[in-house]
Amino acid sequence: MKSTSNLFFQLVILALVTITVSEPALSQNDKPLTLVVPFPPGGSTDITARTIQTKLAERIGRPVVIENRPGAASQIATQHVARSAPDGNTLLISFDNHSINPIVKPKLPYDTFKDFVGVSLLVRFPLVIAANPSVPGNNLAEFIAAAKKRPGFYSYASTGIGSLNQLAMEDIKRKAGIFVLHVPYGGGGPAIAAVVGNTASMTLLSYAALKGQIQADKLKPLAVTGAQRLPELPKTPTVAESGYPGFEAYSWIGAFAPAETPAAIVKKLTADFQAVLNDPEIKTKLSQGGFDVQASDGPTLDKYAKREFERWQQFVKTTQLNLED
């Protein structure tokens, strides 16, 4: 009986020592936190990641590295994070096509909703429809009138097949009864370059991604896809105001960890992201770029991503939109 009692106390002491050692080990992790961005520099996802990078590093007390892994409509980066060690050191900063890729590619090399756990829905934002200055019309209604006279003459650049900016524009095309050619690119930066260079007529991206080109008069805004006008573009109407009541389309950016990441680590990461996103300086910078800061918890992001999947899956099914490469 005495030996059993001694063994019990030894186990209790061992457990307490393990807890005492493991918790500081978690907080003293000096490895860099890598934020994997599925697109080249210059797009909305990259801008968001770089806006929070420095403050996040200060918050967690270790370096934060931005790693751009573009390609295959974000599948390369997503697969990389899905296969990364679930230690909280590698996160996916994903775009709206995180929800849309399962619609486009039923046989992905990962399971979108099983291989990841949400950390935080970072931002949500409407798209700005911006055109090359040579394109006719100073707003969407005027452009649509011109496009009806020349079917197939104009084109729009997206961030890839099945991206939200493709789906939003396809929805507008169907409502307006126009044909505008879709030209997919590998990210927001290349899409902007195509429109500025007049290789494509227009694109749909965040105001943050388009701001510099709009201010330099290299692009002109035609409409925004949100429910309200952007304060930064007070003269630019919404799509709903342009003759399509009820139209809304929002892009979003969220942070995901590999699914097997311990709950305690995910919870800590969530708190870190929320603190940084709610920092007045960061919040102002993002707001000025047309981003609506969300700073949600992980379960909220997971539910939002699934809801967006269901919405656009229904759209593709109803319209029989061809999303093949």
Side-chain angles (χ1 to χ4, degrees):
M1 188 73 172
K2 184 176 180 181
S3 61
T4 302
S5 178
N6 287 339
L7 178 60
F8 173 76
F9 284 113
Q10 288 174 4
L11 290 173
V12 170
I13 292 171
L14 179 61
L16 290 173
V17 170
T18 301
I19 293 171
T20 303
V21 170
S22 63
E23 287 185 349
L26 176 63
S27 62
Q28 293 171 3
N29 183 359
D30 58 358
K31 291 182 180 179
L33 172 61
T34 300
L35 306 181
V36 180
V37 175
F39 301 103
S44 305
T45 314
D46 183 73
I47 289 170
T48 300
R50 294 184 190 279
T51 299
I52 66 175
Q53 181 181 16
T54 302
K55 286 282 186 182
L56 185 58
E58 292 174 1
R59 164 83 183 184
I60 65 177
R62 54 194 175 105
V64 173
V65 177
I66 308 296
E67 184 177 318
N68 297 89
R69 282 182 172 255
S74 83
Q75 293 176 55
I76 291 174
T78 306
Q79 183 177 3
H80 170 72
V81 176
R83 295 180 177 179
S84 296
D87 55 10
N89 292 324
T90 305
L91 302 181
L92 178 69
I93 304 301
S94 196
F95 200 44
D96 46 60
N97 60 354
H98 188 76
S99 292
I100 297 170
N101 274 343
I103 305 169
V104 183
K105 302 271 188 184
K107 294 183 180 179
L108 291 167
Y110 52 84
D111 189 310
T112 301
F113 302 110
K114 291 183 180 179
D115 291 345
F116 297 92
V117 60
V119 172
S120 177
L121 175 59
L122 308 181
V123 296
R124 194 183 78 146
F125 54 95
L127 303 174
V128 176
I129 304 175
N132 185 280
S134 66
V135 171
N138 292 313
N139 55 54
L140 182 61
E142 291 177 0
F143 166 74
I144 288 173
K148 286 182 176 180
K149 297 176 182 177
R150 306 186 74 176
F153 181 80
Y154 302 105
S155 61
Y156 74 95
S158 77
T159 55
I161 293 174
S163 57
L164 181 75
N165 43 28
Q166 182 197 4
L167 297 181
M169 190 62 192
E170 292 299 324
D171 196 5
I172 293 169
K173 283 167 54 178
R174 280 159 175 73
K175 286 178 166 61
I178 58 174
F179 173 56
V180 179
L181 181 66
H182 174 221
V183 185
Y185 285 85
I192 293 170
V195 180
V196 170
N198 211 16
T199 302
S201 306
M202 63 183 60
T203 189
L204 299 82
L205 293 168
S206 71
Y207 176 66
L210 298 167
K211 181 179 180 179
Q213 303 296 344
I214 290 174
Q215 292 179 339
D217 294 325
K218 293 182 178 180
L219 292 175
K220 60 180 178 181
L222 300 180
V224 296
T225 64
Q228 293 89 30
R229 296 188 183 196
L230 287 176
E232 296 79 13
L233 297 173
K235 295 181 180 180
T236 303
T238 65
V239 174
E241 290 176 309
S242 303
Y244 309 96
F247 183 94
E248 285 184 34
Y250 290 90
S251 191
W252 55 273
I253 296 168
F256 293 88
E260 299 303 316
T261 306
I265 293 179
V266 174
K267 186 176 180 180
K268 174 66 166 58
L269 287 166
T270 297
D272 291 334
F273 273 93
Q274 288 177 326
V276 170
L277 288 163
N278 286 317
D279 178 276
E281 179 185 349
I282 297 299
K283 200 164 189 176
T284 298
K285 284 182 180 179
L286 290 171
S287 296
Q288 289 174 343
F291 294 118
D292 182 12
V293 174
Q294 301 293 300
S296 80
D297 59 16
T300 297
L301 171 58
D302 289 331
K303 290 176 184 176
Y304 187 84
K306 191 66 180 288
R307 192 163 61 246
E308 285 292 285
F309 163 76
E310 292 168 351
R311 173 194 172 177
W312 291 111
Q313 182 185 49
Q314 184 61 39
F315 170 77
V316 170
K317 182 179 179 180
T318 302
T319 60
Q320 298 183 329
L321 181 63
N322 184 0
L323 295 176
E324 295 182 1
D325 293 308

